[in-house]
Amino acid sequence: LTFVREPVSRALSRFWYWRSNTAASGFDFAKVGKARCSTLATFIRRYADSNSQFLSVMGGISVGACSPGTSEMFPRTHLPWNATAESVCPAGLAVLEDVLHDHLTRDPRLFVGVVERFDYAVAAFRGYMLLDASKHPLFYCRKNAVVGAPRTLELDTAFVHQLQERNRLDEVLHRVAERVMVRRAACVFGSAQAALAAAEQFSEDLKVYQVSKCKAEDSSAGGQMPNNKKPKAN
């Protein structure tokens, strides 16, 4: 089981985490000091990664139909910051999506969910693996180590565009992964509507569990920047 996340939101979360960490977390104090004084523009230009989810999932996998007749593989550790579907798959975007789909569905033990539909993904995974809900409910306690990250809608569109440009392949992976997840859920539960109902029931049962089993966390502890100020984006 692994998860992928919409790349712009992921980048913003990483930026906030990077700025919010303290030396007590095991980070070098000088680096933390530099991070806390940096802007989003600096983070994008100097520190933000590019297409890391695509590299993690597809690195070392055969390019297949992207380049027929070759034995090439997708890079394991590095891609140009502005890589596009066509730059890694000369056959085009549609073929790359097919290659991704084939990889995500080839091994029945691999289940990829999307963070934005987390409960749906967990419910689908539980059904897909034929887990007994009474023995393996897969409930969890919510805990976000760093709260208050800026949201995409709060940003200048120029920053959003820059982050999108750095993560074109992650966007493709996220889109295909969600499509595969929804299809698997519909197969497991009999229909798309039944899958949604199962996810809603899981969420309701989860709320009951969290009320009775999870400790209330102070959302302002450990994650907020001093004075609760959000980082400047310019």
Side-chain angles (χ1 to χ4, degrees):
L1 173 64
T2 190
F3 280 84
V4 295
R5 185 174 183 179
E6 190 280 315
V8 173
S9 297
R10 178 177 180 272
L12 293 177
S13 179
R14 287 175 64 83
F15 166 65
W16 192 251
Y17 182 79
W18 178 68
R19 279 199 48 147
S20 302
N21 262 298
T22 64
S25 301
F27 285 77
D28 180 84
F29 183 80
K31 292 181 180 179
V32 171
K34 184 182 295 185
R36 287 197 169 188
C37 295
S38 293
T39 64
L40 178 57
T42 299
F43 176 79
I44 294 173
R45 184 173 66 254
R46 299 183 59 184
Y47 303 109
D49 54 16
S50 302
N51 296 307
S52 58
Q53 297 178 103
F54 182 91
L55 287 168
S56 177
V57 173
M58 297 301 293
I61 303 300
S62 171
V63 300
C66 279
S67 185
T70 71
S71 57
E72 295 180 17
M73 296 184 295
F74 290 109
R76 291 180 180 273
T77 59
H78 178 73
L79 282 165
W81 69 269
N82 58 347
T84 64
E86 290 73 18
S87 68
V88 299
C89 184
L93 173 60
V95 175
L96 177 60
E97 291 188 348
D98 288 342
V99 170
L100 284 167
H101 180 276
D102 289 346
H103 175 64
L104 296 181
T105 57
R106 181 177 295 116
D107 186 345
R109 297 169 298 179
L110 175 63
F111 189 97
V112 180
V114 297
V115 169
E116 293 75 19
R117 303 179 68 177
F118 193 84
D119 287 356
Y120 180 100
V122 174
F125 175 75
R126 190 175 69 181
Y128 179 73
M129 297 301 294
L130 303 178
L131 297 177
D132 185 339
S134 64
K135 297 180 180 178
H136 306 286
L138 303 187
F139 295 152
Y140 60 90
C141 294
R142 297 181 188 275
K143 183 177 181 180
N144 192 342
V146 180
V147 299
R151 298 177 183 275
T152 302
L153 293 178
E154 299 171 353
L155 294 184
D156 187 300
T157 54
F159 289 137
V160 175
H161 177 72
Q162 290 175 43
L163 290 170
Q164 290 173 333
E165 192 174 24
R166 297 182 70 95
N167 293 281
R168 296 297 185 193
L169 300 179
D170 275 8
E171 287 184 359
V172 179
L173 172 63
H174 182 271
R175 182 167 63 248
V176 175
E178 182 171 16
R179 189 184 305 156
V180 170
M181 177 187 71
V182 169
R183 288 179 179 174
R184 279 185 166 170
C187 176
V188 167
F189 295 108
S191 69
Q193 192 62 37
L196 287 172
E200 291 174 359
Q201 185 61 56
F202 174 84
S203 294
E204 290 300 316
D205 295 341
L206 175 63
K207 290 176 183 178
V208 174
Y209 171 85
Q210 290 174 340
V211 168
S212 62
K213 300 293 185 180
C214 302
K215 295 181 179 179
E217 297 290 341
D218 180 1
S219 61
S220 65
Q224 292 283 11
M225 293 291 291
N227 301 322
N228 294 327
K229 292 182 179 180
K230 291 188 175 182
K232 294 181 180 180
N234 52 36

